[in-house]
Amino acid sequence: MEYFEPDYFHYKNNQLYCEELPVQEIAEDIGSPAYIYSKNYFIDRYKEFDEAFKEIKHTIFYACKSNFNLSVIKTFTDIGSGVDVNSEGELLRALKVGVDPQKIIMSGVGKTSEEIKLAIEKDLLMIKAESEEEIFLINEIAASLNKTARVAIRVNPDVDAQTHPYISTGLAENKFGVDTETALKLFRKQKDLKNIKFTGIDMHIGSQIIKVEPFVEAAKKLSELILQLKSDGIFLEHLDMGGGVGSTYNNEKTFAVKDFANALLPLLKKLECDVFFEPGRYLIANGGILLTKVLYNKKNHDKNFIVVDSAMNDLLRPSIYSAYHHIQPVVLKNNRKDIVADIVGPVCESGDFFAKKREIAQSNHGEYLAIMSAGAYGMPMASNYNSRRRPAEVLVDGKNYKIIRSRETFDHLFFDEPELI
Ligand code: LLP
């Protein structure tokens, strides 16, 4: 079998390390399942992104939906990142970390009045509006608070991001944003909207995008709109390019962030406005693993199964997107044959799998496996299905690690059901 060794995860003397710590040591201390993240992977990726766009005025807003653990958010904001939030809960998380509201932006196709109110009360840098009705509601709520809300309009550029249909968001058929005609019409209403200041234009065309062309095509459409608005006397402060930069999970040929910048810079330089980016996955996916333990090996008819102690409730991506994640032993053993097996969890569904027909070294009861590339959209999509407790999260920094979220206790499962009927 092949082993995947993204930066900060590597084998030394047959042991998988996260930074300078053998994963087996963490496993023996805290058990499984657990998410293990490399802090320095996160930091390096952020710096690389930031550096790639140094020629223009830009701000990175870490899309914390990809991993909203407080310590992960703090890792990014400590080195200068802003935060993109998609709900009241994510906003409260960013505020709890102590992020300056002027470094927080809010997304969401279906914000409630409460969410809009909180965003305005806290003076967020901007709210991204996705419909005419929402813009009127923001104006109304801002008026009732005697404030002016800073608003960007999310445009749906009708561009094919060439990604999984569930995470493609910039096509005409998708629910997100408004078309360019509507955006123009709405921007032109500025003078009637006394409690809104339109500050920008926003897009997010999808996630796990592995070609630069869709970004360039969408950016072209948005810059034409910006120029058109300029000629109307409407000057925007920023263009928000959204997130979506893909990561390598298997053998996809992704683009380097430098190439992304080189493709976009000629266009962005002309706009003379601050450019925002909202990366999530790119900064963290390959900086995390899900640690799991082999429970059983079994054979059904002629098929091999390895049953592990984590399940679709811990990492949903393989079940819902048929997403590929490398799975490899935490400790490599000599003389183990490779087998072909489905790697599955204990949940009562056949959709509960991490890999199908996967070549993997024979692994025995009690041995640990690493499910790779699990830093993004792992823990935030975890649930309590089958009344399973959600896993612990660990952040490794050099030779040390910290538990940044403890494994749920059984009390967690009962605390909001205090009384029996
Ligand atoms: N900005 C907005 C408005 C978004 O909706 C998203 C992701 C991002 C930024 C960050 O996108 P990224 O850079 O991480 O691609 N659960 C799926 C991914 C859903 C993405 C949703 N929106 C998965 O596991 O693949």
Side-chain angles (χ1 to χ4, degrees), residues 61 65 84-86 105-109 111 126-130 134 151-157 169-170 176-180 183 187 198-205 218-219 221-223 225-226 229 236 238-243 274 276-278:
F61 294 86
K65 59 173 72 72
D84 170 51
V85 299
N86 200 65
I105 56 179
M106 181 178 252
S107 314
V109 70
K111 295 177 214 77
M126 79 178 196
I127 303 173
K128 296 175 262 173
E130 302 212 20
E134 185 189 352
V151 172
I153 296 180
R154 176 163 173 181
V155 171
N156 179 326
T169 51
F176 299 98
V178 297
D179 56 70
T180 39
F187 278 121
F198 285 127
T199 57
I201 194 162
D202 164 59
M203 69 177 218
H204 171 75
I205 57 172
K221 290 193 178 178
L222 264 64
S223 50
L225 196 59
I226 291 180
L229 286 164
L236 298 179
H238 54 254
L239 162 65
D240 183 344
M241 293 286 299
D274 196 355
F276 293 176
F277 297 96
E278 304 167 357

Side-chain angles (χ1 to χ4, degrees), residues 337-352:
K337 275 208 240 85
D338 283 352
I339 60 165
V340 173
D342 281 13
I343 297 150
V344 300
V347 158
C348 56
E349 294 203 26
S350 295
D352 177 26

